Amino acid sequence: VRERSLSAFAHQDVPFERLVEELAPSRSLARHPLFQVVLTKQDTIEAVLDLPGVRTGPAPAAGGGRTAAKFDLDVMVSEAFDADGAPAGVRGSVTVAADLFDEEWAERITRYWVRVLDMVSGDPGTRVSGVDLLGPDERRALSEWNRTAADGFAAPVVELFEAQVARRPGAVAVVSPEGEGVTYADLDERANRLANVLAGEGVGAESVVGVCLDRGVDLVAALLAVWKAGAAYVPIDPRQPVDRIAYLLADSRAVLTVTSEEIADELPAGHARMLVLDDTFTALRLSMASPARPERVVHGGQTAYVIYTSGSTGRPKGVLVSQAALANYVASVPGRLELDGGRFALVQGQATDLGNTIVFAALTLGGELHVMAEEAATDPDALRALLAEREIDFVKMVPSHLAAMGPGLLPARALVLGGEAAAPDWLARVLEEAEQRGCAVFNHYGPTETTIGVATTRLRGGGVAPVGTPVANTACHVLDEHLAPVPPGVTGELYVAGAQVARGYLGRPGLTAERFVACPFGGGRMYRTGDRARWNADGELLFAGRVDDQVKIRGFRVEPGEVTAALAVCPGVSQAAVIAREEGPGDVRLVGYLVPGDPENASDLPSVARRFAADRLPDHLIPSAWVVLDALPLTANGKLDRHALPAPDHAAAAGAGRGPADAREEALCAAFAEVLGVPAVSVDDDFFELGGHSLLAVRLVSRIRALLGVEIEIRALFETPTVAGLAAGLGDVEAARLALTAVERPERVPLSYAQRRLWFIRELEGPSATYNVPIVLRLSGEVDAEALGAALRDVVVRHEVLRTVYP
């Protein structure tokens, strides 16, 4: 503190105007541009006014004792002396801005500061890290909030599943994406046969088996079979780039990969043996294998699965989750989420642990697990229809995914939100809809390193959603940089201890030692999450950001350093940097900054870098926007100045090319521009190069259906991400499903002048110049019948429609 203060005094003569000019802060009449915390120490000799016959003193404060706050926090102190002139302590006042702090917080700030002064003045040799702010009541509250002890190691998940098989063998366990149900007995037999085949291949305890299958019954049976054989699985998304799949198989030391014929041809060769479930030889082996459960011994310390997450060093890291940690999760969390033996919808894939809540809860509670096809998971209309048709009770989804899909996707009984923080405005709308439908909404928090989730809460009001309270046999500690607890309400870094902490990172002892540290509160280990959090007055945790650059994008953990490392070796790239920017509430996107090796190739560099990244990284790690710079901005000490990186200008890159040639392309251009938030789009602009990503693609497909009334799959947009490409492919698509919505019949015909630009919905087949055009009006405001007729005649004239039918 002394060194920092003396360094500041070296600049005490710099004029205030010069400071403002150099720092260029945002200006506002509501606050000081440079600082909001003021400490004033009055150390001048007290002036005495002595007038005969006059009593003097301070004037009473205006407004009933309240003072207008000039700063967020204003502390003023002065030294007091007794009648003999001896020091008599320090007196002062603390003034806070009432729109940020209430009276209780003002008193707490004062109490903490006095406690610090008492400690350091009583023992000047006290280290800063040794200053303890917690009082007895606060220490007791923190201990109580982490009092979660429950029964010890429960049965492994596979044994809980087998108990359900014995209890209800004829009940439906899993429903495939095509709607075919498989009973608990049949699923158990499938898993047993595959487990015996795996055992014959040498799979056993601590073996790792790769599971690379499409969503469906075979995938669920394969996970159970690996556990029945006593091994651990590593889930692999078959749609990831081949290089990445090869890395996962090699790094996990998978002894075998369970897959299908369709996928096997695309998998890298030479990394692990493959067991292709649907080839003739394997099918014969499975039919001849014993349907009895193989002999096995599963103890809590064994690895249950390995999940890979993004790595800041450029390499994904595999998290080793133990059977005991998973058993504790299954024994404690589903009950807190009010899950039981109902119908569960699995929307997420298994390459991450986002869907594990639904899978394991359904199989161990005796529920029906309905596996949604990937196409349905990104199609709002299809998913909405499936949830209603199959009478789904429970769904877990990522907030940004659900927001992109639109309203009407709530299950009958409980919605679980997890994977990222939810935008408050959007969450308020979801809670309102859930209340009307009688659906409970829960928040679910937990890094992969703490086994799916360690804190939950039921959401009931608006504002920032709390993370929740710790689950059974776990503890959440909010600590400062010296691993000391911070008081409730104060932000620190979140550490998780207890039964659900993973074993560590596979083959990464150094990184394991860095993130899994000794717990000073009762022994054992605790995981350093890197999340900033604070306790509220009710004993719930509130998320407050990250201590590093890691972000959550559409539920996936993303380390920008991994993307930067991949782009650094891209041909034509001299330097690269990747950061995450929030384009809107809950809309976080990666932005790639490139410095070309040859300035003449700068214009083509974003396309080259995108293709290069797509060949090596999964979709969620590919930047959705690109900026080419002459050089990366650096700070004074030579590090990347992230704050100086310019925001991508999507509008500048959009709309400069060829315009639409017909009404269909004009409608598509309007839909592109609306979803991307840019003024205009040309027919050759690439949706993804203008900042589009998978969730925005969902919105765009829904918008195209509404405008053109055609059935279009999201895959078509990934294959031809331009207006011209989509328009060319719309000739053979089917008419869109009509969504039935109950509405009131309007008494008058409203029409907005700004919305008189009406689009063709579908052209009549054949080369005739005559079109039969069902006209759909998006109505707002009020206008008379004459204005409506004028609008329709305008359509007739502009598009040469020979016959128009309208009420």
Side-chain angles (χ1 to χ4, degrees), residues 93-156:
S93 63
V94 174
T95 305
V96 298
D99 56 346
L100 292 178
F101 303 101
D102 56 21
E103 188 171 346
E104 178 187 355
W105 256 107
E107 292 176 353
R108 288 177 64 184
I109 292 172
T110 306
R111 186 168 65 250
Y112 293 148
W113 191 47
V114 170
R115 190 173 296 157
V116 170
L117 294 180
D118 282 343
M119 291 187 67
V120 298
S121 60
D123 182 7
T126 301
R127 297 180 64 88
V128 174
S129 60
V131 176
D132 186 5
L133 293 178
L134 292 176
D137 292 342
E138 293 163 329
R139 195 173 296 280
R140 192 178 308 112
L142 292 178
S143 175
E144 185 65 31
W145 294 338
N146 275 320
R147 200 181 302 277
T148 62
D151 293 338
F153 175 55

Side-chain angles (χ1 to χ4, degrees), residues 465-529:
V467 164
T469 57
V471 302
N473 298 313
T474 64
C476 295
H477 303 290
V478 183
L479 310 178
D480 62 17
E481 62 270 29
H482 305 292
L483 299 186
V486 300
V490 176
T491 299
E493 186 173 356
L494 179 61
Y495 290 73
V496 177
Q500 289 183 206
V501 175
R503 288 173 52 176
Y505 298 114
L506 177 61
R508 310 281 285 275
L511 186 59
T512 298
E514 177 186 337
R515 304 300 296 191
F516 296 84
V517 298
C519 179
F521 314 103
R525 297 178 310 145
M526 59 183 183
Y527 171 67
R528 179 185 179 186
T529 68

Side-chain angles (χ1 to χ4, degrees), residues 92 199 734:
E734 299 178 359

Side-chain angles (χ1 to χ4, degrees), residues 201-204 207-210 249 252-257 272-274:
E201 293 287 341
V203 172
S207 297
V208 176
V209 176
L249 292 175
S252 65
R253 304 179 183 90
V255 298
L256 192 72
T257 301
R273 292 173 294 152
M274 286 190 285

Side-chain angles (χ1 to χ4, degrees), residues 476-709:
C476 295
H477 303 290
V478 183
L479 310 178
D480 62 17
E481 62 270 29
H482 305 292
L483 299 186
V486 300
V490 176
T491 299
E493 186 173 356
L494 179 61
Y495 290 73
V496 177
Q500 289 183 206
V501 175
R503 288 173 52 176
Y505 298 114
L506 177 61
R508 310 281 285 275
L511 186 59
T512 298
E514 177 186 337
R515 304 300 296 191
F516 296 84
V517 298
C519 179
F521 314 103
R525 297 178 310 145
M526 59 183 183
Y527 171 67
R528 179 185 179 186
T529 68
D531 289 333
R532 300 174 68 245
R534 66 179 184 273
W535 294 99
N536 66 14
D538 298 324
E540 292 185 311
L541 290 165
L542 297 174
F543 178 74
R546 290 286 301 176
V547 299
D548 53 20
D549 299 328
Q550 184 190 113
V551 292
K552 283 293 188 75
I553 296 181
R554 304 187 287 283
F556 294 98
R557 182 194 297 189
V558 173
E559 293 279 5
E562 180 178 355
V563 189
T564 301
L567 293 176
V569 295
C570 175
V573 174
S574 172
Q575 291 179 292
V578 176
I579 65 170
R581 287 186 177 274
E582 189 168 7
E583 298 287 335
D587 184 12
V588 180
R589 308 185 194 181
L590 286 181
V591 180
Y593 295 88
L594 308 171
V595 177
D598 183 358
E600 294 183 0
N601 298 326
S603 60
D604 297 330
L605 198 56
S607 299
V608 172
R610 174 180 287 279
R611 290 193 297 270
F612 185 84
D615 290 339
R616 290 158 178 81
L617 300 172
D619 290 342
H620 62 273
L621 290 181
I622 300 175
S624 58
W626 303 86
V627 179
V628 178
L629 302 173
D630 295 333
L632 294 178
L634 302 176
T635 62
N637 57 8
K639 294 184 178 180
L640 177 66
D641 188 351
R642 300 179 182 276
H643 298 291
L645 290 170
D649 188 358
H650 302 303
R658 182 167 57 93
D662 54 33
R664 174 172 286 171
E665 289 189 351
E666 191 175 0
L668 290 173
C669 285
F672 272 56
E674 179 182 340
V675 172
L676 291 170
V678 296
V681 172
S682 74
V683 296
D684 298 317
D685 285 337
D686 189 299
F687 176 77
F688 298 102
E689 290 184 0
L690 294 181
H693 52 71
S694 57
L695 292 186
L696 284 182
V698 174
R699 297 182 190 174
L700 178 60
V701 168
S702 297
R703 189 73 187 112
I704 292 173
R705 285 174 178 165
L707 282 175
L708 297 180

Side-chain angles (χ1 to χ4, degrees), residues 178-259:
E178 296 76 25
E180 298 177 1
V182 176
T183 66
Y184 273 86
D186 290 341
L187 181 62
D188 187 52
E189 182 178 333
R190 282 199 200 188
N192 288 339
R193 290 181 184 275
L194 179 54
N196 285 306
V197 171
L198 292 175
E201 293 287 341
V203 172
E206 292 302 316
S207 297
V208 176
V209 176
V211 177
C212 189
L213 292 165
D214 285 324
R215 305 182 187 190
V217 178
D218 285 343
L219 173 60
V220 179
L223 303 185
L224 293 170
V226 171
W227 285 341
K228 285 172 176 283
Y233 69 83
V234 53
I236 297 174
D237 184 354
R239 290 164 184 79
Q240 288 190 345
V242 174
D243 288 350
R244 191 175 184 87
I245 293 177
Y247 172 82
L248 299 183
L249 292 175
D251 188 72
S252 65
R253 304 179 183 90
V255 298
L256 192 72
T257 301
V258 179
T259 186

